[in-house]
Amino acid sequence: MDVLTLARIQFGATVAFHYLYPPLSIGLGILLVVMEAAWLKTKNPIYHQMARFWTRVFALTFAIGVATGIVMEFEFGTNWATYSRFVGDVFGSALAAEGIFAFFLESGFLAVLLFGWDKVSRKVHFFSTCMVCLGAHFSAVWIVVANSWMQTPAGYHLVVHNGVERAEITNFWQLVFNPSSMDRLFHVLCGAWQTGAFLVVSVSAWYLLKKRHLDFARASLRVGLTIGLIASLLQLVSGDSSAREVAKYQPAKLAAFEGLYNTTSNAPLTLVGYVDEQDQKVVGLQWPGMLSWLVSFDTKTTVTGLDAFPPQDRPPVEASFLFFHGMVGIGFAMIAIAALGFLYFRHGSLHERRGLLWILVFSVLGPQLANQLGWFAAEVGRQPWIVYGLMRTPEGLSAVVKANVILTSLILFTVVYFLLFAVFIYLLNDKIQHGPDEQDLVPSGKLALPTELTHHEKP
Amino acid sequence: MNFDLNTVWFILVGVLFTGYAMLDGFDLGIGALHLCTKDDTERRTLINAIGPVWDGNEVWLVTGGGALFAAFPNVYATVFSGFYLALVLLLVSLIFRAVAIEFRSKQPMRWWRQMWDIGFSIGSLLSGLLLGVALGNIAWGVPISVNGEFAGTFLGLLTPYPLLVGVTTAALFMMHGAIYGVMKTEGALHDKLRVWAMRCIIFFVICAVTLTMATLLYVPHMAARVHEQPWLFSIALVNMLAIANIPREFHHRRDWLAFLSSCAAMITLMMLFGLNMYPNLVYSLPDPGNSLTIYNASSSPKTLGVMLIIACIGVPLVIAYTVCIYWIFRGKVKLDRMSY
């Protein structure tokens, strides 16, 4: 294989594996904040037990997230050196800001979150949990800003530096708030919240099925299903607004997502189907006019098709279409699952519905798969550009790196990541089988103090 | 020396990497010494001595890399693509170091713990060594083509001088880690670490003296600025005094001061490195005219300015809560049920 293919496989594989973990950190972060807040407010020890159990799961995902994340930062330089020279001025700034504002915050307060239970007061611990969660969200902000700049560049100009053209910042805030960054950030965060919430839902549903840790499972389900349902509904809003943004700023991508070859008004939305690239058409169930309507609430709107772009500027249609529709399909399924689970939980009969409980157990895979497919769609849909409209992907490669070198490192990373994944699943399963700790129903150390103090304060 | 934005960023990137050496240096040192004890409780104590802080310490490297990317993208691109395999090895080492800490304690089986102990220790040792080799190559000089690309090979990076810098860095980290370990432990392990620390100090001093001689004899450009401006020799003097002070304070059981002296030695070493490199970031050999400097490799003044504002907001915050967190976890390590 050539350097380009290998470099793309390597980046795709390492980032796909990495991205199993950050959404869990972000999503579980929110859930931990909610659980600890509930504990502080209600003093119900079940929330303390929940916070402790899910903190242990959080620690496991965080460690792998950090270890695989540093690879990503290095890969821009190792495999995509020409790209790095071209965008360093802009993209590098967002990455450095991520380090300063997000990673330090997250990893610093993580120490208190994991090891500080007996060393600090409840309020300090709660504050630390909030800071870890905030840090995880900040890291999403900066990395999505950086990636969105590659999708919809703004706030820059092209300058020749040492005889080579490159992008330089003209307006930092235009860079940060480039046309797609906020829509995409919201979309990524909703996906992350779903990922965290459905992990909690899945494990709790499994406890209900096995009739274990019932109080813990019910309390976790309440938090998980609530956040899962809210995030799934918000995701619908976010997806809708993201699609309009793509239509406006990356029309070739939207055309590929929908397999729309001809520019047309009354453009149809495909519900299920596939793209016949030979005959340049979509085969499947279509809803006429719906795509036009979604783009601007009017079926008469003209939607740009792939025919508006020369063949060398079109993204791979079939792949973009499948990734995108897979993501959307899962998105709707998650709403249905969350809503059903939530309704039966409120009704009090969820524990009798074993079929639904089994669906909830497997629901953890939905957001993970949708996250992956969504990113595949976003990145494949941007092709053939590495920076939309400015630099083509093959132009971004390192000039001095040979194919056999990339292949060696690709094999090495693949072996190491398979090992990490196997160990992760093994340890996660072990934690789930072990379940919450009964000891955690009784807070110890300084955490026990505030309750006693409030007792004393009462006249 | 013009005190312009490029120079400020030269210093700031140096500060970030020095911060990394002072902080993660002791984590890597503890890791390198990890296999010296066979007892499970002692190994756990060592891991828990760095348990709450290693993660934040590693962020100094991540942020240093990010700052290099943003401020001097050409250096980032040339070095990272040029040192490809060495960096991949560094990444795999850092991965094993990181996950071993988290995974090791999760199962009680002997083989399981043995496996992660080895991963943790080799990963830590190799990380220090490889970082040193990279630094050594940058000091010695690497082949750079006219268009600023790396023109050497992977094996070409493994020459005696960079390897000597690598071994010295590993020795420095082991000494730093052993002293940190002495501060964080008590009882039998504390006494054992005291012996190791002394050995590490001796080993490091031998390496440091050899490296100084080798630099003066074979790498004259790395002593040129001090040669031209003799008042800068004071930094070399402080460096020597700091190193000499480590065994002195350690002998008097003022471990905290020994640790600070070790930090001072790192700071002055990096200052000497920076002063002699300036304004080069990567020295080109055989043609110094192709060297990457803080001017031909930098981002635009606008970006350097924006980044400086970001650093001025971010760095004080980082230092403030880093201090708080070290304060919360001060004192000797006590194993409890949250420990690794």
Side-chain angles (χ1 to χ4, degrees):
Chain A
M1 274 186 275
D2 62 341
V3 174
L4 177 66
T5 315
L6 284 166
R8 287 186 66 187
I9 292 177
Q10 177 165 326
F11 199 89
T14 48
V15 80
F17 182 74
H18 172 63
Y19 202 68
L20 295 174
Y21 301 97
L24 279 174
S25 301
I26 295 169
L28 279 179
I30 283 279
L31 279 116
L32 285 176
V33 167
V34 171
M35 288 169 189
E36 263 198 82
W39 178 51
L40 278 175
K41 197 163 161 29
T42 65
K43 310 268 193 295
N44 183 348
I46 196 94
Y47 288 115
H48 175 254
Q49 191 191 29
M50 275 161 66
R52 294 292 280 259
F53 176 80
W54 292 109
T55 299
R56 284 193 280 272
V57 175
F58 182 90
L60 192 60
T61 63
F62 191 87
I64 308 184
V66 169
T68 55
I70 190 168
V71 175
M72 305 322 306
E73 189 198 16
F74 277 48
E75 266 178 26
F76 297 119
T78 54
N79 289 352
W80 305 96
T82 313
Y83 159 81
S84 298
R85 286 179 215 283
F86 180 66
V87 301
D89 197 284
V90 182
F91 187 90
S93 312
L95 220 58
E98 186 182 17
I100 283 277
F101 292 129
F103 293 150
F104 274 119
L105 192 68
E106 203 178 1
S107 59
F109 283 99
L110 181 75
V112 184
L113 171 60
L114 298 187
F115 305 102
W117 290 101
D118 291 348
K119 288 196 165 62
V120 296
S121 69
R122 283 183 187 193
K123 281 187 181 146
V124 173
H125 194 274
F126 178 62
F127 176 75
S128 304
T129 309
C130 292
M131 288 300 114
V132 171
C133 177
L134 193 66
H137 283 73
F138 278 170
S139 82
V141 171
W142 289 105
I143 203 68
V144 171
V145 162
N147 182 273
S148 295
W149 186 85
M150 293 164 69
Q151 310 277 354
T152 52
Y156 72 100
H157 61 167
L158 294 178
V159 175
V160 175
H161 176 85
N162 295 344
V164 184
E165 195 174 54
R166 70 174 187 184
E168 289 183 359
I169 297 180
T170 51
N171 185 323
F172 184 71
W173 295 113
Q174 277 179 18
L175 178 178
V176 172
F177 295 99
N178 66 65
S180 66
S181 61
M182 290 303 119
D183 268 327
R184 299 178 77 239
L185 173 65
F186 187 42
H187 203 52
V188 160
L189 288 180
C190 289
W193 298 333
Q194 286 178 295
T195 312
F198 281 100
L199 176 69
V200 171
V201 166
S202 159
V203 174
S204 313
W206 192 76
Y207 286 153
L208 279 191
L209 276 169
K210 299 289 160 189
K211 307 229 181 327
R212 285 195 226 160
H213 320 293
L214 291 177
D215 291 339
F216 173 88
R218 272 192 286 269
S220 293
L221 264 179
R222 181 176 303 126
V223 178
L225 280 172
T226 310
I227 295 182
L229 182 61
I230 295 171
S232 300
L233 290 171
L234 286 177
Q235 189 64 296
L236 184 65
V237 178
S238 147
D240 175 56
S241 119
S242 293
R244 265 195 301 282
E245 169 268 308
V246 173
K248 189 165 173 195
Y249 295 100
Q250 291 179 289
K253 191 195 246 188
L254 186 80
F257 281 173
E258 284 300 332
L260 189 71
Y261 280 93
N262 302 315
T263 304
T264 172
S265 62
N266 203 24
L269 185 78
T270 307
L271 301 177
V272 278
Y274 66 93
V275 181
D276 184 345
E277 288 205 33
Q278 215 81 51
D279 297 340
Q280 303 210 337
K281 61 171 191 194
V282 174
V283 184
L285 183 60
Q286 293 190 315
W287 185 346
M290 194 56 192
L291 184 61
S292 292
W293 191 82
L294 280 176
V295 166
S296 67
F297 308 109
D298 180 4
T299 54
K300 291 190 193 70
T301 312
T302 306
V303 181
T304 314
L306 287 162
D307 56 0
F309 304 92
Q312 71 271 18
D313 287 352
R314 295 179 191 173
V317 184
E318 174 86 76
S320 307
F321 178 92
L322 287 177
F323 295 146
F324 178 72
H325 281 83
M327 175 191 75
V328 174
I330 294 171
F332 279 103
M334 293 326 290
I335 296 174
I337 293 170
L340 276 178
F342 189 77
L343 286 177
Y344 283 112
F345 183 80
R346 296 295 299 209
H347 186 247
S349 61
L350 183 61
H351 59 281
E352 295 159 10
R353 308 204 166 253
R354 298 186 66 83
L356 182 57
L357 281 175
W358 274 114
I359 292 175
L360 290 180
V361 168
F362 286 101
S363 69
V364 63
L365 300 175
Q368 288 282 13
L369 198 58
N371 287 339
Q372 298 283 335
L373 290 173
W375 274 109
F376 287 172
E379 300 298 283
V380 170
R382 190 190 62 226
Q383 302 303 323
W385 306 98
I386 193 165
V387 182
Y388 195 69
L390 296 182
M391 183 183 232
R392 283 170 195 275
T393 308
E395 295 166 353
L397 280 173
S398 297
V400 298
V401 178
K402 305 274 185 300
N404 57 355
V405 173
I406 303 184
L407 185 63
T408 311
S409 59
L410 176 60
I411 293 170
L412 190 62
F413 280 128
T414 310
V415 172
V416 171
Y417 282 10
F418 267 110
L419 174 76
L420 289 189
F421 190 65
V423 172
F424 171 73
I425 294 296
Y426 169 66
L427 290 178
L428 183 65
N429 180 52
D430 196 64
K431 276 187 204 298
I432 295 168
Q433 300 291 346
H434 179 270
D437 219 327
E438 292 306 316
Q439 274 186 58
D440 288 338
L441 283 174
V442 190
S444 55
K446 282 190 182 170
L447 290 179
L449 284 178
T451 332
E452 286 164 18
L453 279 178
T454 46
H455 274 295
H456 285 299
E457 278 160 15
K458 275 180 193 162
Chain B
M1 190 185 278
N2 292 323
F3 213 74
D4 49 20
L5 271 172
N6 300 54
T7 306
V8 170
W9 271 101
F10 180 80
I11 296 169
L12 275 175
V13 170
V15 167
L16 286 169
F17 283 115
T18 311
Y20 176 72
M22 290 196 303
L23 295 172
D24 208 26
F26 67 71
D27 301 329
L28 296 175
I30 290 268
L33 294 169
H34 184 71
L35 295 180
C36 293
T37 172
K38 294 208 163 31
D39 179 70
D40 186 57
T41 311
E42 292 191 349
R43 286 185 175 178
R44 284 187 61 204
T45 309
L46 284 179
I47 287 187
N48 282 289
I50 62 168
V53 294
W54 73 268
D55 205 337
N57 296 342
E58 197 180 271
V59 175
W60 287 82
L61 179 68
V62 176
T63 305
L68 192 67
F69 193 176
F72 305 110
N74 286 329
V75 172
Y76 172 84
T78 301
V79 172
F80 279 46
S81 60
F83 293 6
Y84 195 103
L85 282 176
L87 285 177
V88 169
L89 271 179
L90 173 66
L91 287 172
V92 172
S93 304
L94 286 172
I95 289 176
F96 273 98
R97 188 280 291 255
V99 298
I101 296 175
E102 180 64 31
F103 290 169
R104 182 190 188 278
S105 64
K106 300 293 179 285
Q107 294 295 333
M109 293 84 79
R110 222 183 124 70
W111 63 268
W112 174 270
R113 298 205 160 180
Q114 199 80 32
M115 175 169 84
W116 296 113
D117 282 337
I118 292 171
F120 176 52
S121 197
I122 293 181
S124 301
L125 183 64
L126 215 53
S127 300
L129 191 75
L130 287 165
L131 285 166
V133 171
L135 200 71
N137 273 299
I138 286 167
W140 177 267
V142 289
I144 302 283
S145 67
V146 189
N147 48 15
E149 297 279 3
F150 178 72
T153 58
F154 173 61
L155 288 177
L157 298 174
L158 303 176
T159 52
Y161 183 78
L163 287 174
L164 178 62
V165 180
V167 172
T168 309
T169 309
L172 175 61
F173 286 175
M174 280 160 80
M175 173 184 79
H176 200 54
I179 298 171
Y180 179 80
V182 167
M183 284 159 55
K184 296 295 284 183
T185 56
E186 51 199 351
L189 180 61
H190 176 91
D191 299 336
K192 219 184 275 184
L193 276 169
R194 199 162 270 287
V195 177
W196 296 341
M198 209 56 221
R199 288 177 189 155
C200 291
I201 292 173
I202 294 168
F203 182 50
F204 169 68
V205 169
I206 295 171
C207 290
V209 171
T210 317
L211 181 62
T212 308
M213 288 194 296
T215 306
L216 293 175
L217 285 171
Y218 304 115
V219 204
H221 67 264
M222 281 309 287
R225 181 156 281 109
V226 181
H227 188 82
E228 285 160 20
Q229 297 177 339
W231 66 273
L232 291 175
F233 190 76
S234 57
I235 297 172
L237 196 67
V238 173
N239 177 249
M240 279 182 283
L241 290 176
I243 294 176
N245 197 41
I246 299 169
R248 179 173 159 270
E249 299 292 358
F250 195 69
H251 178 74
H252 292 292
R253 309 227 158 191
R254 293 187 293 250
D255 306 325
W256 172 235
L257 289 174
F259 185 77
L260 282 186
S261 300
S262 178
C263 290
M266 288 180 176
I267 294 170
T268 44
L269 276 174
M270 284 299 273
M271 282 172 76
L272 286 171
F273 176 81
L275 276 169
N276 286 302
M277 284 296 288
Y278 184 87
N280 295 318
L281 283 157
V282 183
Y283 191 74
S284 168
L285 214 67
D287 184 1
N290 293 343
S291 295
L292 301 180
T293 70
I294 59 170
Y295 299 106
N296 69 20
S298 77
S299 285
S300 61
K302 164 92 183 165
T303 298
L304 294 178
V306 170
M307 291 283 302
L308 189 61
I309 296 170
I310 291 179
C312 288
I313 301 169
V315 173
L317 281 172
V318 168
I319 291 175
Y321 55 70
T322 303
V323 169
C324 289
I325 282 150
Y326 274 84
W327 176 252
I328 290 172
F329 292 98
R330 69 192 179 278
K332 306 282 184 187
V333 179
K334 299 265 188 292
L335 295 182
D336 56 33
R337 66 193 189 89
M338 276 160 308
S339 302
Y340 285 121

